[in-house]
């Protein structure tokens, strides 16, 4: 609910302009990118129940306080704009974005703790049970990603933004109690959750006892302790520095160690390949929705397509559990990768199909300046496929949102011109057919890499490695917004589709390389 509503609130606050939403997205991506390793390290260092309870409390409290601030801003916006010559409004915007960012960071910590650590321990490290629980949790995510925005969207549409904020505030307070109770209950039911890997200080005590007994440390565990001791002594060396420098150096070193740990993992290529899949416009986000609007797709049809895509996503989770049982986890990733890429070929075909507005000359104004000036030039011929908008033929992918019904993860426009239609719907049909069917392979592949990370990463590094994985995901997601900013017109969308497919192909190629190495290693061991 909150993830959907905050973007709408920011648009409403800034005069139905996307600037605050863009700043908010940049802050979210930047904060997780910089702090992902630190969040994961914090998850590793602390008891599981304290991490879950603290993350849950910080997340829901931040959302609650932010909702209160938004209610005050919406209720007294005119009076607030008169304080400090309008600068108090900027302060309110800043507070809202900071609180929302804190909530997102806490949500990231909670996701790492529960979905990457707790469920591995709860299933008793049983791969079959782990696969089933991963699929079940992903189905819950899929369903709530549809129902939650639908609920809050209807409240905001039928009532007001203030009532919407109040609804989210009340829901967060209620869910805080329920979630806290459920997490505590699970923690008590599963005693293994109270057992954490030894910390650096615990290793020091073990090594000291061994040395006092005159015993030599042997085996891999002793070597690991000695390596940790060297790192621990390095941290001791910086205690003579001022406190602020100590903190900064420790944070910097923790981040570097987290990224090194991520790079050392046997599943590094699989995780990096998954991150590359985030650099795409081929999803049901505001970019694809805006493009569909320029091609004459109505809001009701977009909502229907969104529901169908959720169903195909659920089909991907079912396919994952069955494929893993029959062909194994690594081969499941290979099959889902091929299925994902095969479906995306429909999106590539849509770029060159009848009805596509692609116009390569828009990216080469110097070479096309002579021809574009002619009334019957090639550019004007290709632009006839673009759905006409009131603002002209070169509307950006995010059109004016002065008349929008917010009822789902997508936006539904009610100012579609009547009596007009593109010359052909073949291009847009192929695009959405590819996007919807590709979600089967996409979610199956996502679950495959998730379980590979769960099974392969040692327990003491599970948090920090998954924190870095979250950072990589946000980094690649940030690149896709930069792509759209660089080529914002509907005529550019075909180029963005091709670039997206290139990134996705690169990501799957990394997984293929990982699978080849994993199979070769398995053959050598057997």
């Amino acid at each position: 609910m909150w993830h959907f509503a905050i973007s709408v609130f920011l648009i409403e606050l800034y005069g139905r302009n996307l600037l605050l939403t863009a700043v908010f997205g940049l802050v979210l991506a930047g904060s997780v990118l910089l702090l992902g390793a630190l969040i994961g390290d914090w998850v590793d260092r602390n008891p599981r129940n304290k991490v879950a309870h603290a993350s849950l409390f910080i997340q829901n409290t931040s959302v609650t306080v932010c909702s209160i601030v938004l209610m005050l801003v919406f209720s007294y916006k005119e009076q607030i704009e008169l304080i400090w010559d309008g600068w108090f409004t900027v302060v309110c915007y800043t507070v809202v974005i900071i609180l929302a960012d804190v909530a997102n960071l806490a949500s990231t910590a909670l996701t790492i703790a529960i979905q990457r650590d707790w469920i591995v321990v709860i299933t008793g490290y049983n791969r079959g049970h782990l696969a089933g629980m991963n699929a079940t949790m992903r189905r819950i995510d899929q369903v709530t990603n549809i129902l939650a925005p639908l609920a809050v969207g209807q409240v905001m549409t039928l009532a007001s933004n203030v009532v919407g904020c109040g609804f989210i505030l009340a829901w967060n307070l209620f869910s805080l109690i329920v979630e806290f109770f459920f997490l505590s209950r699970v923690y008590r039911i599963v005693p293994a959750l109270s057992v954490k890997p030894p910390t650096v200080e615990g290793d020091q005590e073990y090594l000291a006892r061994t040395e006092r007994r005159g015993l030599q440390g042997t085996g891999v565990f002793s070597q690991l302790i000695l390596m940790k001791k060297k790192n621990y002594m390095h941290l001791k060396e910086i205690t003579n520095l001022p406190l602020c420098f100590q903190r900064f150096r420790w944070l910097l070193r923790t981040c570097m160690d987290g990224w090194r740990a991520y790079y050392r993992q046997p599943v590094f290529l699989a995780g990096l390949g998954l991150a590359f899949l985030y650099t795409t416009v081929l999803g049901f986000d505001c970019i694809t929705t805006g493009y569909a609007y320029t091609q004459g797709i109505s809001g009701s049809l977009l909502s229907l397509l969104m529901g169908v895509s959720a169903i195909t996503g659920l089909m991907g989770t079912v396919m994952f559990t069955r494929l893993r049982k029959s062909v194994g986890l690594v081969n499941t990733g290979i099959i889902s990768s091929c299925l994902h890429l095969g479906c995306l070929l429909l999106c590539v075909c849509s770029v060159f199909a009848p009805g596509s507005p692609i116009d390569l000359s828009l990216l080469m104004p110097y070479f096309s300046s002579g021809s574009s000036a002619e009334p019957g030039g090639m550019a004007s011929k290709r632009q006839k496929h673009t759905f006409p908008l009131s603002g002209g033929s070169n509307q950006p992918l995010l059109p004016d949102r002065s008349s929008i019904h917010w009822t789902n993860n997508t936006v539904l426009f009610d100012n579609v011109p009547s009596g007009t239609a593109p010359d052909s719907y073949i291009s847009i049909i192929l695009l959405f057919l590819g996007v919807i069917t590709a979600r089967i392979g996409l979610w199956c592949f996502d679950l495959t890499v998730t379980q590979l990370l769960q099974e392969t990463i040692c327990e003491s590094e599970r948090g920090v490695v998954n924190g870095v994985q979250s950072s990589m995901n946000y980094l690649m997601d940030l690149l896709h917004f930069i792509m759209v900013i660089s080529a914002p017109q509907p005529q550019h969308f075909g180029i963005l589709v091709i670039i997206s497919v290139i990134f996705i192909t690169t990501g799957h190629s990394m997984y293929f390389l990982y699978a080849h190495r994993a199979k070769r290693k398995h053959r050598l061991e057997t």
Side-chain angles (χ1 to χ4, degrees):
M1 280 188 197
W2 176 248
H3 181 75
F4 166 78
I6 183 63
S7 299
V8 181
F9 291 150
L10 291 176
I11 291 174
E12 293 290 337
L13 281 178
Y14 204 67
R16 303 180 185 273
N17 189 291
L18 295 173
L19 179 61
L20 275 185
T21 306
V23 172
F24 174 62
L26 183 63
V27 171
L28 285 190
S31 59
V32 177
L33 178 62
L34 294 176
L35 303 177
L38 295 176
I39 293 173
D41 181 73
W42 176 72
V43 172
D44 286 333
R45 287 175 175 270
N46 294 277
R48 290 188 174 95
N49 61 334
K50 291 185 178 180
V51 169
H53 291 159
S55 302
L56 181 64
F57 180 78
I58 294 173
Q59 176 190 2
N60 288 46
T61 303
S62 299
V63 172
T64 300
V65 176
C66 192
S67 298
I68 295 174
V69 174
L70 285 170
M71 291 175 68
L72 294 175
V73 173
F74 279 126
S75 300
Y76 304 100
K77 186 175 182 180
E78 295 181 358
Q79 294 87 332
I80 291 175
E81 290 176 349
L82 300 177
I83 303 176
W84 298 347
D85 295 330
W87 283 102
F88 190 68
T89 305
V90 178
V91 174
C92 293
Y93 295 161
T94 305
V95 170
V96 168
I97 290 177
I98 291 176
L99 289 173
D101 184 48
V102 171
N104 183 70
L105 292 175
S107 176
T108 301
L110 190 61
T111 300
I112 293 173
I114 303 300
Q115 299 188 20
R116 302 295 185 268
D117 182 33
W118 278 45
I119 100 174
V120 181
V121 179
I122 291 172
T123 56
Y125 299 89
N126 183 294
R127 295 183 176 183
H129 295 166
L130 181 59
M133 188 166 290
N134 279 329
T136 300
M137 296 190 72
R138 193 54 51 87
R139 290 168 195 150
I140 294 173
D141 287 340
Q142 287 286 307
V143 173
T144 52
N145 282 336
I146 297 298
L147 298 181
L150 182 62
V152 71
Q154 292 298 327
V155 172
M156 294 163 59
T157 302
L158 299 176
S160 65
N161 291 326
V162 176
V163 176
C165 291
F167 178 72
I168 293 176
L169 188 153
W171 182 264
N172 271 271
L173 293 177
F174 170 75
S175 62
L176 174 62
I177 300 173
V178 176
E179 291 179 74
F180 192 91
F181 172 78
F182 282 162
L183 289 176
S184 301
R185 176 71 173 166
V186 171
Y187 187 80
R188 288 195 300 268
I189 292 176
V190 185
L193 288 173
S194 60
V195 181
K196 289 278 284 188
T199 60
V200 174
E201 290 79 5
D203 293 339
Q204 293 294 310
E205 294 177 3
Y206 174 84
L207 195 61
R209 288 196 303 268
T210 305
E211 292 174 350
R212 283 197 300 269
R213 294 172 184 171
L215 301 175
Q216 291 291 332
T218 58
V220 177
F221 183 66
S222 298
Q223 295 176 7
L224 178 64
I225 293 177
L226 291 174
M227 183 180 67
K228 287 185 176 181
K229 183 179 180 181
K230 292 180 181 179
N231 294 335
Y232 185 74
M233 295 304 296
H234 178 81
L235 293 176
K236 289 285 188 179
E237 294 175 359
I238 67 174
T239 54
N240 295 328
L241 296 173
L243 182 60
C244 59
F245 288 103
Q246 292 181 35
R247 290 285 185 180
F248 177 76
R249 189 168 179 177
W250 179 82
L251 292 174
L252 185 61
R253 182 172 180 81
T254 300
C255 289
M256 293 176 61
D257 290 344
W259 284 89
R260 290 194 191 102
Y262 178 73
Y263 178 75
R264 289 196 311 265
Q265 300 302 317
V267 291
F268 163 71
L269 285 175
L272 188 61
L274 178 64
F276 264 70
L277 269 59
Y278 280 75
T279 308
T280 177
V281 296
L282 301 175
F284 279 90
D285 57 5
C286 57
I287 307 301
T288 308
T289 301
Y291 172 75
Y293 171 64
T294 67
Q295 299 304 296
I297 303 300
S298 65
S300 58
L301 181 56
L302 282 173
S303 180
L304 178 62
L305 293 175
M306 187 74 182
V308 175
S309 71
I311 295 175
T312 56
L314 294 175
M315 292 171 58
T317 64
V318 175
M319 188 180 78
F320 165 74
T321 55
R322 297 187 177 181
L323 279 178
R324 196 207 66 82
K325 289 181 181 179
S326 56
V327 300
L329 189 59
V330 175
N331 288 330
T332 298
I334 295 175
I335 295 174
S336 59
S337 295
C338 295
L339 178 60
H340 188 205
L341 291 173
C343 293
L344 290 182
L345 290 178
L346 294 173
C347 300
V348 177
C349 294
S350 72
V351 176
F352 308 99
S356 174
I358 186 173
D359 184 11
L360 299 178
S361 64
L362 290 176
L363 296 180
M364 298 177 290
Y366 176 78
F367 299 101
S368 61
S369 58
S371 60
S372 60
E374 300 175 5
M378 181 61 67
S380 61
K381 292 180 180 179
R382 296 305 302 268
Q383 290 176 12
K384 69 181 181 180
H385 297 301
T386 306
F387 190 75
L389 296 171
S390 58
S393 61
N394 286 338
Q395 286 286 338
L397 293 177
L398 294 176
D400 178 50
R401 301 189 172 195
S402 59
S403 185
I404 299 177
H405 293 308
W406 299 92
T407 61
N408 212 317
N409 276 349
T410 184
V411 292
L412 309 181
F413 300 88
D414 65 357
N415 57 351
V416 178
S418 58
T420 56
D423 293 343
S424 175
Y425 284 103
I426 295 179
S427 176
I428 196 68
I429 290 174
L430 287 175
L431 175 67
F432 278 99
L433 186 62
V435 170
I436 292 174
T437 56
R439 294 178 76 84
I440 301 176
L442 172 63
W443 286 114
C444 185
F445 180 78
D446 178 83
L447 284 169
T448 300
V449 176
T450 297
Q451 182 150 343
L452 284 172
L453 292 171
Q454 291 169 334
E455 293 181 359
T456 309
I457 301 171
C458 65
E459 189 174 358
S460 61
E461 293 182 331
R462 199 174 285 154
V464 68
V465 172
N466 280 286
V468 175
Q469 180 68 48
S470 298
S471 298
M472 286 298 304
N473 295 345
Y474 270 91
L475 173 62
M476 303 309 292
D477 187 52
L478 189 62
L479 290 180
H480 112 269
F481 282 108
I482 296 176
M483 285 166 41
V484 176
I485 293 173
S486 302
Q489 307 301 335
Q491 291 83 359
H492 298 157
F493 191 78
I495 299 171
L496 298 181
V497 169
I498 295 174
I499 295 176
S500 299
V501 173
I502 291 174
F503 270 94
I504 293 173
T505 304
T506 304
H508 286 305
S509 300
M510 292 178 181
Y511 180 82
F512 293 149
L513 181 58
Y514 158 76
H516 173 72
R517 292 180 178 178
K519 290 184 176 182
R520 184 177 62 181
K521 181 180 178 181
H522 179 72
R523 286 195 300 267
L524 293 176
E525 291 177 350
T526 54

